[in-house]
Amino acid sequence: MSTTYFSFLYEVLLSFGTNVGNMFKGRFDLNADFANYHQIYLAYAGGFGIGGWIFYVLMILLAIGIVGSIFALLIYLIRKLMLRPKTKKGEEEKMRREIERLNLELYDAIREKDKILGIKTAERSGLTPGVSTEGEGDADLSNARFPRLLQVDMKYPNGVTVTELPDDAKDIDLPGIVERFRNFACSQMKLYYTLDTCRHFFASMGAGKLIILEGISGTGKTSLPYCMGRFFHNGANICSVQPSWRDRSELLGYYNEFTHKFTETEFLRAIYEATYRDDVVFVVLDEMNLARVEYYFAEFLSIMEMPNTQEWIINLISDPREDDPKHFQNGQLLIGQNIFFVGTANNDDSTFTITDKVYDRAMSLFFDNKGQPFEAPFTEALPMPYAYLENLFEQARKDHPISEETLAKFAQLDDFVIDHFKLAFGNRIMKQIQRFVPCYVGCGGTEVGGLDYLFKVKILKKFEVLNVGFLKDELLLLDEELTKLFGKDEFPLSREKIRTLIKMSK
């Protein structure tokens, strides 16, 4: 049985080899070859037996599989060879279509966001959404690169506003403003601030343009600038910082090459609208340390260091056009002096540590508890030109300069801190001291009280990064030095901070 089958297999393979050879020689005859295979089959099939037929079936299946694989391989190679020149172009075309689809989705999302923000802007300004004050409809802004800023232009057709003090506050001074704000916050907002907190905030406004409010959640950090905006009859602009912010484009926006529009942010709208106002403007960076402040706010930190305020300029667009917002100059915007940037910061594991680079350029207030309720008479808001408030600060700096005796004592304190803690006040902090303390005195505080506050928030704040576990003795000596220089009952805020640091060292 098996001998007959294997003889058959031998004859088939021999014939197959011959046919392959003939094929390469050009003498391949399909009909004759198939007839030869059939003759071999008839000659041996009668002697296969059961085992032979089993092997025969397996051979047929194997042959079919081999032939099928060869055909599949040939088809694959032919297709690959034929389509190879087009593959790269096809992939590029597919990628291009995908990019177009994503850009269209982004454009639709931006339009939807702008529509929502436009409604909010209209509600604040009293305009009907989509309708300008000069008969210009949405279609007129469809091709504009800065539609939101152009809406601001239309909101102020007469140019910069003119703010006047109410009749009952024509000659109001800094202590009067502080008291009035505290009563306003209590009577209208149900927010309770101590006189010192109010003095610290106003004196910080007299010392710089960046104020950081930090502390535990729920202590009223965001409420303070919000209430201050209501008090000055110009609501604060709240800009929520996102953890993904990495550079200035997150803050100011960017030009979209596909839509040919500038992606305008609430922050950009706020600082642009401030150019139309002559009163006090607050721009709040809510939870500013959810991202690294020195990354996204770096340009403003540098700009506000320039002594010439006419150089406080940001570049927005490289190719200015005639239809750009009115207050642009060659694609640039001058930051108004009436703007105060207020950042709120929570101290928890979800936030970044604010670096000394930021702290040294800012004034800071710390909130560690909620305000205690008290009674106050109903008090109206106080619309006020920024120039009036700045004149009060300037007058305070002239009327209440830090005495030479106090500066000499503070210099000794500086030497002590350098010797024992290897920390120095620095020229920037000394400049802030000379601006803050007179304003604090002008608001009703004392010279030593202003120094105490700044020593706590500017100097002792830096001790938190030191290894206080090895500095207990030095901290006790610092407390004694304060007594020696200023008296036993002075510098209560700093002494309380020193006690806290000593507890941390245990």
Side-chain angles (χ1 to χ4, degrees):
M1 171 273 300
S2 59
T3 302
T4 304
Y5 171 76
F6 285 113
S7 297
F8 164 76
L9 182 61
Y10 171 77
E11 290 289 343
V12 169
L13 293 176
L14 182 63
S15 180
F16 178 76
T18 302
N19 293 337
V20 171
N22 291 335
M23 181 178 67
F24 283 106
K25 293 177 181 179
R27 296 182 299 185
F28 180 70
D29 187 344
L30 183 62
N31 292 330
D33 290 338
F34 270 107
N36 184 42
Y37 289 132
H38 184 64
Q39 292 296 328
I40 296 172
Y41 170 75
L42 294 177
Y44 289 96
F48 280 175
I50 297 176
W53 281 109
I54 293 174
F55 280 113
Y56 178 76
V57 172
L58 292 176
M59 183 193 72
I60 295 298
L61 294 176
L62 179 62
I64 293 174
I66 292 173
V67 173
S69 299
I70 292 172
F71 273 104
L73 179 61
L74 288 174
I75 292 172
Y76 170 76
L77 292 175
I78 292 171
R79 291 186 60 185
K80 187 174 182 180
L81 186 63
M82 294 178 63
L83 298 177
R84 186 174 181 179
K86 301 179 181 180
T87 299
K88 187 174 181 181
K89 292 183 179 179
E91 290 178 352
E92 290 177 352
E93 178 66 20
K94 182 179 179 181
M95 187 177 295
R96 186 185 66 80
R97 289 197 300 267
E98 182 67 14
I99 291 173
E100 288 182 354
R101 183 185 67 80
L102 292 174
N103 278 330
L104 285 172
E105 290 181 0
L106 176 61
Y107 177 64
D108 291 339
I110 292 172
R111 285 177 61 88
E112 185 65 23
K113 182 196 73 173
D114 289 344
K115 182 179 179 181
I116 294 171
L117 292 174
I119 293 173
K120 291 182 178 179
T121 301
E123 289 174 350
R124 285 196 298 266
S125 62
L127 297 173
T128 302
V131 180
S132 76
T133 57
E134 298 182 356
E136 296 176 341
D138 280 342
D140 297 321
L141 301 180
S142 60
N143 295 321
R145 298 192 295 183
F146 296 87
R148 291 189 67 194
L149 300 191
L150 292 179
Q151 286 180 350
V152 173
D153 287 340
M154 293 187 292
K155 181 180 174 181
Y156 298 91
N158 298 321
V160 179
T161 60
V162 177
T163 305
E164 296 183 359
L165 286 165
D167 293 336
D168 64 339
K170 290 295 185 182
D171 298 315
I172 193 168
D173 57 7
L174 284 175
I177 295 174
V178 170
E179 181 68 25
R180 183 159 177 159
F181 168 72
R182 184 169 183 255
N183 291 337
F184 170 84
C186 174
S187 63
Q188 293 208 36
M189 308 293 294
K190 303 304 177 185
L191 297 171
Y192 308 104
Y193 301 109
T194 66
L195 268 176
D196 251 0
T197 297
C198 298
R199 288 169 182 156
H200 291 153
F201 192 89
F202 277 99
S204 296
M205 291 173 63
K209 298 298 182 183
L210 175 60
I211 304 171
I212 298 176
L213 311 178
E214 59 180 324
I216 59 178
S217 180
T219 51
K221 298 185 297 296
T222 306
S223 300
L224 178 55
Y226 175 79
C227 181
M228 194 71 73
R230 294 283 298 272
F231 174 67
F232 284 119
H233 217 267
N234 180 17
N237 303 274
I238 311 295
C239 305
S240 298
V241 175
Q242 302 300 318
S244 59
W245 286 15
R246 294 291 182 270
D247 53 47
R248 60 161 264 169
S249 65
E250 311 284 358
L251 194 67
L252 293 169
Y254 59 92
Y255 183 69
N256 189 315
E257 295 288 350
F258 178 76
T259 63
H260 301 294
K261 293 180 182 293
F262 198 92
T263 303
E264 303 155 289
T265 63
E266 177 63 18
F267 181 89
L268 177 61
R269 186 208 61 77
I271 62 175
Y272 181 76
E273 185 167 357
T275 63
Y276 277 101
R277 305 192 67 94
D278 70 339
D279 53 359
V280 181
V281 175
F282 292 99
V283 178
V284 182
L285 296 170
D286 197 25
E287 299 195 54
M288 69 183 307
N289 59 335
L290 279 179
R292 292 194 178 277
V293 183
E294 63 274 19
Y295 287 179
Y296 67 84
F297 204 63
E299 184 173 6
F300 284 84
L301 293 175
S302 299
I303 286 175
M304 290 186 289
E305 288 286 290
M306 297 179 182
N308 183 1
T309 57
Q310 294 303 309
E311 296 178 354
W312 289 24
I313 295 172
I314 55 173
N315 295 299
L316 292 171
I317 201 78
S318 59
D319 57 329
R321 295 190 331 203
E322 291 184 359
D323 61 345
D324 283 343
K326 294 179 181 178
H327 287 187
F328 278 20
Q329 294 292 331
N330 297 320
Q332 300 175 326
L333 179 65
L334 178 67
I335 304 301
Q337 291 301 298
N338 58 332
I339 302 176
F340 292 93
F341 300 102
V342 182
T344 66
N346 287 327
N347 296 327
D348 54 45
D349 295 337
S350 66
T351 59
F352 290 97
T353 300
I354 299 177
T355 61
D356 285 348
K357 175 182 177 180
V358 179
Y359 273 126
D360 289 349
R361 290 164 169 79
M363 303 302 299
S364 57
L365 283 75
F366 190 84
F367 291 73
D368 54 3
N369 53 58
K370 295 182 179 180
Q372 297 300 316
F374 61 91
E375 295 295 329
F378 183 83
T379 306
E380 294 288 352
L382 182 63
M384 176 180 292
Y386 166 75
Y388 185 90
L389 182 63
E390 180 56 33
N391 286 337
L392 291 179
F393 289 142
E394 187 61 36
Q395 191 63 44
R397 287 189 281 270
K398 292 179 180 179
D399 294 343
H400 309 288
I402 305 176
S403 67
E404 293 298 327
E405 179 184 1
T406 302
L407 284 176
K409 292 179 179 179
F410 210 65
Q412 293 181 51
L413 184 59
D414 187 12
D415 293 337
F416 183 90
V417 172
I418 293 174
D419 292 340
H420 291 79
F421 302 97
K422 310 304 178 187
L423 291 173
F425 293 1
N427 293 331
R428 184 182 289 112
I429 293 179
M430 290 304 300
K431 180 180 177 182
Q432 291 174 340
I433 288 173
Q434 292 175 346
R435 291 178 62 85
F436 175 89
V437 174
C439 293
Y440 180 73
V441 175
C443 290
T446 64
E447 185 176 85
V448 176
L451 286 174
D452 175 26
Y453 175 75
L454 282 184
F455 186 70
K456 174 190 174 182
V457 301
K458 288 291 184 180
I459 308 303
L460 295 181
K461 174 71 177 177
K462 297 177 183 290
F463 285 23
E464 294 177 358
V465 300
L466 302 177
N467 193 340
V468 293
F470 297 96
L471 298 174
K472 180 179 178 181
D473 293 339
E474 284 80 359
L475 290 170
L476 292 172
L477 289 174
L478 176 59
D479 186 73
E480 293 176 5
E481 185 71 11
L482 290 175
T483 300
K484 175 183 173 182
L485 292 172
F486 298 99
K488 184 177 180 180
D489 297 326
E490 300 294 349
F491 275 63
L493 298 176
S494 297
R495 294 178 192 275
E496 180 184 0
K497 181 67 174 179
I498 290 172
R499 288 193 293 270
T500 301
L501 292 170
I502 291 174
K503 290 179 182 179
M504 292 170 58
S505 67
K506 295 180 180 179

